[in-house]
């Protein structure tokens, strides 16, 4: 059984997308190709 599962909540808008992980960490990225590359 893998206990290292993380969950993410993602809110996408026109200019940015906000991400919060299951540990309560908050991140914000630009809603463009560079922002998506930084997220992954």
């Amino acid at each position: 059984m893998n206990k290292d599962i993380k969950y993410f909540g993602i809110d996408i808008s026109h200019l940015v997308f906000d991400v919060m992980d299951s540990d309560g960490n908050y991140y914000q990225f630009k809603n463009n190709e560079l922002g998506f590359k930084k997220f992954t």
Side-chain angles (χ1 to χ4, degrees):
M1 177 185 241
N2 185 355
K3 294 187 179 188
D4 294 327
I5 296 174
K6 281 204 162 203
Y7 295 95
F8 294 90
I10 301 174
D11 179 30
I12 299 176
S13 67
H14 180 71
L15 297 177
V16 298
F17 65 99
D18 302 305
V19 179
M20 184 170 281
D21 66 19
S22 54
D23 294 329
N25 299 311
Y26 171 78
Y27 309 94
Q28 187 176 71
F29 303 96
K30 290 185 179 181
N31 191 359
N32 59 23
E33 185 177 351
L34 181 61
F36 282 100
K37 285 182 181 179
K38 284 184 179 182
F39 173 60
T40 59

